[in-house]
Amino acid sequence: VQLQASGGGSVQTGGSLRLSCAASGSIFSIDAMSWYRQAPGKQREFVARITSGGSTNYADSVKGRFTISRDNAKNTEYLQMNSLKAEDTAVYYCNADVRTRGSRWFNDYWGQGTLVTVSS
């Protein structure tokens, strides 16, 4: 299973970006999908999560500005980021709980990360 994140880039304060993360491989089903981020010199932190049924939760720091969504038919999750701030600058990583074909269990997979830079 591979998770391919895309959509990062440079944007000015107050701008918007939309990240995507597509899962591919021998996938039977995907449970929760999430986004995390890691700023320079800091630990990786949780950003947002969406269940297979569409329930969402967010870090307090992004509530009201970021929206997580998913397209189950495409095994893809999205992160719409609005009103971006300098402190949102980080490498953003996608994560998914995937059950592969022939397996009874869900395992945790990570994407390679995509850099978001917000400047004034």
Side-chain angles (χ1 to χ4, degrees):
V1 174
Q2 289 188 324
L3 270 61
Q4 182 69 45
S6 61
S10 296
V11 65
Q12 290 190 326
T13 302
S16 298
L17 280 174
R18 188 191 194 210
L19 306 183
S20 299
C21 177
S24 61
S26 184
I27 297 170
F28 180 77
S29 65
I30 301 178
D31 194 4
M33 303 184 84
S34 305
W35 289 94
Y36 287 74
R37 67 186 181 186
Q38 187 166 17
K42 295 187 177 182
Q43 290 189 331
R44 191 173 297 189
E45 64 176 5
F46 168 78
V47 175
R49 179 178 182 268
I50 184 167
T51 67
S52 57
S55 297
T56 60
N57 61 295
Y58 298 91
D60 288 343
S61 59
V62 307
K63 278 181 184 176
R65 300 188 298 121
F66 290 11
T67 302
I68 189 171
S69 60
R70 64 191 284 173
D71 183 333
N72 292 329
K74 296 181 178 179
N75 291 332
T76 299
E77 63 172 326
Y78 306 95
L79 186 68
Q80 178 66 43
M81 306 185 293
N82 298 328
S83 302
L84 282 161
K85 305 175 181 179
E87 50 263 45
D88 294 319
T89 295
V91 176
Y92 284 71
Y93 297 91
C94 55
N95 171 274
D97 295 328
V98 180
R99 180 181 172 186
T100 55
R101 298 184 190 281
S103 174
R104 297 172 59 189
W105 314 109
F106 285 87
N107 289 296
D108 208 33
Y109 293 87
W110 291 89
Q112 85 286 4
T114 184
L115 177 62
V116 172
T117 303
V118 184
S119 57
S120 57

